[in-house]
Amino acid sequence: QVQLVESGGGLVQAGGSLRLSCAASGSIERINAMGWYRQAPGKQRELVAALTSGDSTKHVDSAKGRFTISRDNAKNTVYLQMNNLEPGDTAVYYCSAMGITTRLKSFEAWGHGTQVTVSS
């Protein structure tokens, strides 16, 4: 079983910064991709940024130039540095990971989410 634990959310003023962290633990053989999603009230969950094992990154257009995803493979941890935050970034942010367990089965895991609130 694989668990993801997010941290780093909070309340910040517009223009401020936050850094989210997500640590994966459990029966992990390999993580192929990790990413961050967000869900605002009344809206569908959307991909914010993703990072593959080959260091290929993908960011949603609204996050380009403001958010940066990075990963510490030794710690099975992914980070989301968010700069110049806007009220529209207010949402619950979820971490996701896909990979292979030690039993050589594929997995997709989700964290419980961390609230990010940006005040104007």
Side-chain angles (χ1 to χ4, degrees), residues 30-106:
R30 183 179 72 248
I31 295 178
N32 294 326
M34 296 187 79
W36 289 95
Y37 291 73
R38 67 185 179 187
Q39 187 166 19
K43 295 187 177 181
Q44 289 188 331
R45 189 174 297 189
E46 66 172 353
L47 174 68
V48 177
L51 180 62
T52 69
S53 58
D55 288 337
S56 174
T57 61
K58 178 179 179 179
H59 293 78
V60 67
D61 286 345
S62 63
K64 289 179 180 178
R66 301 188 299 124
F67 294 3
T68 303
I69 188 170
S70 61
R71 179 174 163 181
D72 185 332
N73 291 327
K75 297 180 179 180
N76 283 338
T77 299
V78 66
Y79 306 95
L80 185 68
Q81 178 67 43
M82 304 186 292
N83 298 326
N84 195 20
L85 283 159
E86 304 169 351
D89 296 316
T90 295
V92 178
Y93 284 69
Y94 297 91
C95 176
S96 173
M98 295 187 292
I100 306 295
T101 69
T102 53
R103 294 188 176 186
L104 301 183
K105 292 186 180 294
S106 61

Side-chain angles (χ1 to χ4, degrees), residues 5 12-13 35 48 69 84 108-109 111 113 119:
V5 178
V12 65
Q13 289 188 331
V48 177
I69 188 170
N84 195 20
E108 180 178 359
S119 63

